[in-house]
Amino acid sequence: MFINYALNICPLNPLLYNETKEQRAEIMKELIEKINKLKKEKNAVILAHCYQNIEIDEVADFVGDSLYLSQQAKKTDADIIVFAGVYFMAQTAKLLSPDKKVLLPRMESGCLMADMVNLEQVREFKAKHPGIPAVCYINTTAEVKSECDMCCTSSNAVKIVQSMGEKEILFLPDTYLGKWVERQLGNVKVITYPGYCPTHLKITPKDIKEAREKYPKAPVLAHPECHTEVAKLADFVGSTTGIMKYAKESDKKQFIIATEKGVADRLKRDCPEKDFILIKDNIICPNMKWHTLQDIYNALDKEQHEITVDEEIAKKAIGCIDRMLAVSK
Ligand code: 13P
Ligand code: SF4
């Protein structure tokens, strides 16, 4: 149990503004017990992305990046999946497990990047570049996926594009991830849609240079959603889980984390002997942080808010995700 640690770092949790620390610990403990009991009774599983408020790990069955969570969503035999992540993640879980009830604790939890492209815009993008296969980042709606040839996540994007054997591909919506893939491969032209993650774009090259001056021995670990000029300055670029794995396995003692705060929080919790410096205090995805333990309890108790996908859209979107999973086994 990491309640004390969680208590120190979850200032965004609206449940916990006015209580004393002891009262907050008690509330959390009770909620954790109630959620775990309800999970068993309802044969439910909780999937949590590693940008979630850290106390959610106490009730989560699986915590990880988008690829790992979609793999878990596909293979679970639970009746209910509660997704502590953003909307597109819960929607992907529904596509992969259509017979299960998939619940998103807070419907406000969208992804600003995924919202940058809709069905009409993906069609326009394809029409401008006829005949070129389209790869969509998993951070897209089912509608957008239904129009694309292949899906990818930040952890498998390079492998996926390589596996397609094309000279040119369309990539959407994240222009920076697309351009990073192009630089890694060197022999594929990646035509990108102008989408981006507002949270990752808060990180600037100046931030990296200043952090390096202050902590000269610490490698910079960045997410590929960062701006190209930031990614170029990093020592390692990878998915959220990739960054955590790199830091845990490294002999180094100090690291500069250039992604969302949840990754730095989990690393500090898991490796107290190492030092993790979040590049800036405000690298927080507000949408990921909506879910609280109380919301998770409410979702399970009332079986709210259920995610559904139009059948025709689902039929086409699932192919796009399944082709990705087949390459990423
Ligand atoms: P990961 O696939 O690395 O978990 O990233 C998801 C995401 O939304 C990062 O902003
Ligand atoms: Fe979307 Fe960016 Fe939040 Fe990831 S960090 S969920 S890309 S808004």
Side-chain angles (χ1 to χ4, degrees):
M1 295 278 252
F2 293 100
I3 288 180
N4 284 333
Y5 179 71
L7 279 169
N8 290 330
I9 57 167
C10 57
L12 292 180
N13 189 332
L15 174 75
L16 304 171
Y17 279 148
N18 301 317
E19 295 81 2
T20 63
K21 203 167 174 179
E22 290 70 30
Q23 285 169 326
R24 289 157 68 199
E26 204 43 48
I27 293 170
M28 269 201 198
K29 198 166 155 259
E30 266 174 37
L31 274 170
I32 291 166
E33 280 166 13
K34 276 161 62 180
I35 293 169
N36 285 334
K37 186 164 168 272
L38 213 46
K39 246 188 351 180
K40 270 197 203 126
E41 281 167 21
K42 298 202 172 194
N43 188 27
V45 72
I46 299 179
L47 307 184
H49 188 264
C50 35
Y51 290 168
Q52 288 297 297
N53 293 308
I54 201 161
E55 68 275 18
I56 286 173
D57 290 14
E58 298 296 322
V59 294
D61 299 275
F62 302 98
V63 182
D65 66 6
S66 340
L67 177 64
Y68 175 73
L69 296 176
S70 37
Q71 286 163 335
Q72 298 309 322
K74 191 175 167 88
K75 65 183 179 206
T76 181
D77 55 9
D79 296 317
I80 297 178
I81 298 174
V82 178
F83 215 116
V86 283
Y87 185 84
F88 77 81
M89 295 180 176
Q91 203 184 40
T92 304
K94 181 66 186 174
L95 291 170
L96 291 167
S97 283
D99 302 332
K100 315 241 183 296
K101 193 176 255 189
V102 177
L103 306 172
L104 186 66
R106 288 290 287 258
M107 284 305 266
E108 301 92 327
S109 193
C111 164
L112 295 173
M113 181 202 284
D115 292 344
M116 289 178 187
V117 58
N118 62 24
L119 189 57
E120 208 184 334
Q121 288 164 317
V122 63
R123 284 180 178 154
E124 270 173 29
F125 184 51
K126 282 170 53 172
K128 263 197 213 156
H129 308 278
I132 305 178
V135 179
C136 61
Y137 193 18
I138 198 158
N139 298 35
T140 44
T141 60
E143 286 77 11
V144 168
K145 288 186 178 82
S146 75
E147 283 287 322
C148 292
D149 300 281
M150 186 63 127
C151 186
C152 74
T153 75
S154 62
S155 62
N156 63 15
V158 173
K159 189 173 165 186
I160 292 287
V161 173
Q162 191 171 34
S163 77
M164 293 168 73
E166 300 283 344
K167 283 201 174 65
E168 266 185 320
I169 57 136
L170 303 181
F171 193 94
L172 67 149
D174 189 3
T175 196
Y176 298 104
L177 175 63
K179 285 295 165 193
W180 178 73
V181 170
E182 183 177 70
R183 292 198 303 283
Q184 301 313 297
L185 289 173
N187 59 355
V188 182
K189 183 172 176 204
V190 179
I191 303 167
T192 58
Y193 181 89
Y196 59 92
C197 167
T199 299
H200 283 89
L201 285 204
K202 283 186 197 156
I203 307 169
T204 65
K206 187 167 168 265
D207 296 329
I208 306 287
K209 283 177 196 149
E210 283 175 4
R212 275 203 192 283
E213 271 166 33
K214 210 163 161 194
Y215 309 101
K217 288 191 181 145
V220 175
L221 316 184
H223 196 278
E225 287 172 17
C226 288
H227 190 284
T228 299
E229 297 313 315
V230 168
K232 280 184 181 168
L233 291 173
D235 297 286
F236 173 79
V237 178
S239 75
T240 49
T241 301
I243 289 176
M244 291 177 75
K245 188 167 179 283
Y246 181 99
K248 285 178 183 183
E249 289 173 1
S250 167
D251 297 336
K252 295 260 164 67
K253 293 279 171 260
Q254 197 175 49
F255 304 84
I256 297 161
I257 304 298
T259 187
E260 211 266 354
K261 182 175 178 289
V263 167
D265 290 343
R266 282 168 178 77
L267 282 168
K268 285 179 196 172
R269 178 196 65 191
D270 296 347
C271 310
E273 73 290 358
K274 294 184 178 179
D275 188 15
F276 299 97
I277 298 121
L278 181 65
I279 188 79
K280 255 184 188 165
D281 288 348
N282 67 350
I283 308 304
I284 294 178
C285 172
N287 287 351
M288 282 276 185
K289 300 295 198 223
W290 272 111
H291 309 296
T292 64
L293 286 172
Q294 183 68 52
D295 295 321
I296 293 187
Y297 176 76
N298 294 346
L300 262 175
D301 184 39
K302 301 184 182 128
E303 300 193 14
Q304 67 185 22
H305 307 95
E306 189 173 354
I307 303 295
T308 54
V309 187
D310 172 87
E311 240 176 77
E312 284 309 304
I313 294 286
K315 260 192 231 157
K316 291 201 260 169
I318 185 70
C320 176
I321 304 171
D322 270 341
R323 285 191 285 281
M324 166 187 86
L325 292 178
V327 179
S328 294
K329 264 181 196 155

